[in-house]
Amino acid sequence: ETEQEDKTQQDKLITKCFTSASLSHSKTHKLIQHPLPIKPPGFTESTKQPTLHLTKKEMKRQRKRRRAERQRDIQDKQAAGLLPPPEPRLTLSNFMKVLGDEATLNPSQMEQKVMEQINARKLKHERMNEERKLSKEQRSEKRKRKLAEDTSNSFVGLHVALFLVKDMSHTYHRTKVDLNAQQNGITGGVLECSCPKLALVIAEGGPKAIKRYVRLMTVRMKWRGENFHGESDDDDDDIEEEEEVAQVLPGGEGTTSTTTTKTQKFNPNNSCELVWAGMGTKRMFHNFSFQSCATSEAARKVLEARGVAHFWDQVLVHASGRAEEFHFKLGGDDDDGGEKRGMMEVSEE
């Protein structure tokens, strides 16, 4: 009884302590505020789960595991009698071992049966390939999808390449440069200058597109017309491009027929050089176009309006190593104040 009385008093004491420690006896509990949580401006609850990208090794492992599970299910159904067992795969090299005495008694009939099975497998394989084969429109769409690159992404970035071409007057060169730029989603253009006679090709695009374009300008293009009619390129894309070159008219040249392209002569001293290739912050051109200028100053003003006047200076510096060929000289006295400019100037003849 004494233990029960002590326990009862202890419980009463605990209850009294909890009651006295309640917030209702606090003088400052009314001053405490609990504001409602407010979402920051522009906050949206995205329900899209982050995409988990697998490596090639992990993708192969998962594919192997899925195929093994599918094969195991088929084997289990065959063992349970739900599916008929598969026919033995007969070939001319193993049908004697597989058929045994039956092949020994009637080898000609068994050989005919083996050939029928081989032909059936071949027809099934060809039919499946035809079903998976893409149409012409689907192939074109797939090619465009592969060539499309998001240059606004910081991981991809915008790549720029500058080319120095001595002569861009031939229809074959102009058409192929323009077509490849459109197919690869490249912006920029060709700026031709009459004095000195050279052309600057500017290409802006993704890394893959610029890599293909650099190979076109430096390797694939026949700048001097060597074996133009007899040689066929190794790339599959070149066959389609040659057909398009024969069909599409070059921009800005009026109505030029295919016969004009064949009779037009190539410049035997023509060449193309990669001046510079690197990264850019944003696209300075909205499309790919051709433009001609009479002097070097006019060409520089055209690029200065786009904010890339240093491209022209870079080309002139690159061409300064061949002063006799391009008629360049380093520096020069200005007519107004006699200041020496850092860029190349065309020598007056």
Side-chain angles (χ1 to χ4, degrees):
E1 294 180 358
T2 55
E3 292 181 358
Q4 292 181 355
E5 291 178 359
D6 293 341
K7 189 175 182 181
T8 304
Q9 292 179 359
Q10 187 177 1
D11 293 340
K12 290 181 179 180
L13 181 61
I14 292 174
T15 304
K16 186 177 180 180
C17 291
F18 272 108
T19 304
S20 61
S22 177
L23 288 175
S24 59
H25 297 283
S26 176
K27 297 181 180 180
T28 59
H29 79 282
K30 294 182 180 181
L31 303 178
I32 300 175
Q33 297 181 1
H34 300 278
L36 295 175
I38 300 175
K39 297 179 180 179
F43 176 78
T44 55
E45 295 183 358
S46 59
T47 58
K48 184 179 179 181
Q49 297 293 333
T51 306
L52 179 62
H53 297 281
L54 303 177
T55 61
K56 288 187 176 181
K57 191 174 181 180
E58 292 173 342
M59 292 171 64
K60 289 175 65 177
R61 189 184 299 118
Q62 284 199 358
R63 179 174 178 267
K64 185 178 179 181
R65 188 181 298 116
R66 286 195 302 268
R67 293 182 65 183
E69 291 177 356
R70 195 183 308 121
Q71 189 67 22
R72 195 180 302 112
D73 292 341
I74 294 174
Q75 291 176 357
D76 293 342
K77 290 181 180 179
Q78 290 174 354
L82 300 177
L83 290 177
E87 295 183 0
R89 189 175 185 274
L90 300 176
T91 61
L92 293 175
S93 60
N94 72 346
F95 81 97
M96 294 294 293
K97 296 179 182 178
V98 174
L99 300 177
D101 297 338
E102 189 178 357
T104 307
L105 294 175
N106 198 347
S108 300
Q109 185 179 359
M110 292 300 104
E111 185 176 353
Q112 184 179 1
K113 182 180 178 181
V114 171
M115 292 304 300
E116 290 177 357
Q117 196 178 107
I118 291 175
N119 293 331
R121 287 199 299 265
K122 184 180 179 181
L123 290 175
K124 180 182 177 182
H125 178 74
E126 292 176 352
R127 186 176 64 254
M128 291 174 63
N129 286 347
E130 285 295 329
E131 292 175 356
R132 288 195 299 264
K133 189 176 181 181
L134 301 177
S135 62
K136 188 176 180 181
E137 293 77 11
Q138 290 174 336
R139 286 199 304 269
S140 177
E141 188 66 26
K142 181 181 178 181
R143 189 167 184 269
K144 289 180 182 179
R145 189 169 60 251
K146 288 177 66 177
L147 295 179
E149 293 180 280
D150 186 12
T151 55
S152 61
N153 190 352
S154 59
F155 294 100
V156 178
L158 177 69
H159 288 240
V160 185
L162 305 179
F163 303 92
L164 172 62
V165 183
K166 289 180 63 177
D167 186 8
M168 278 289 295
S169 60
H170 201 282
T171 311
Y172 165 76
H173 298 150
R174 298 173 69 88
T175 308
K176 199 156 189 179
V177 165
D178 190 17
L179 278 176
N180 278 267
Q182 294 177 10
Q183 292 171 358
N184 291 282
I186 291 176
T187 58
V190 178
L191 183 60
E192 299 176 274
C193 184
S194 301
C195 183
K197 187 172 179 55
L198 57 85
L200 167 63
V201 182
I202 304 173
E204 299 176 335
K208 295 181 181 179
I210 294 299
K211 183 179 179 181
R212 285 189 292 265
Y213 206 73
V214 169
R215 187 177 182 276
L216 166 75
M217 299 290 287
T218 56
V219 179
R220 289 169 47 201
M221 188 78 80
K222 307 173 182 67
W223 292 106
R224 299 178 183 178
E226 56 274 9
N227 300 327
F228 174 67
H229 299 289
E231 185 184 36
S232 62
D233 293 343
D234 297 335
D235 296 336
D236 298 336
D237 298 338
D238 291 353
I239 301 175
E240 300 177 1
E241 291 171 5
E242 294 293 344
E243 295 176 355
E244 293 177 352
V245 166
Q247 296 175 1
V248 181
L249 296 177
E253 291 294 330
T255 56
T256 306
S257 61
T258 311
T259 56
T260 309
T261 307
K262 293 181 179 179
T263 57
Q264 190 176 3
K265 292 183 179 180
F266 286 89
N267 186 355
N269 299 322
N270 197 7
S271 64
C272 174
E273 298 179 10
L274 177 63
V275 178
W276 175 79
M279 301 283 290
T281 56
K282 63 177 182 178
R283 290 183 185 265
M284 298 298 180
F285 299 86
H286 301 291
N287 53 8
F288 196 90
S289 59
F290 290 77
Q291 191 166 355
S292 301
C293 296
T295 61
S296 177
E297 288 78 8
R300 192 179 190 280
K301 287 181 180 179
V302 170
L303 294 181
E304 188 175 2
R306 298 280 186 174
V308 288
H310 56 283
F311 286 174
W312 188 254
D313 299 339
Q314 200 166 357
V315 169
L316 295 180
V317 170
H318 183 81
S320 62
R322 294 172 289 173
E324 296 179 358
E325 186 175 354
F326 288 91
H327 304 288
F328 285 120
K329 65 178 181 179
L330 284 170
D333 296 332
D334 293 340
D335 297 335
D336 299 334
E339 298 179 355
K340 290 188 176 181
R341 302 175 62 183
M343 61 172 289
M344 308 299 165
E345 292 186 351
V346 182
S347 62
E348 298 179 357
E349 297 181 355

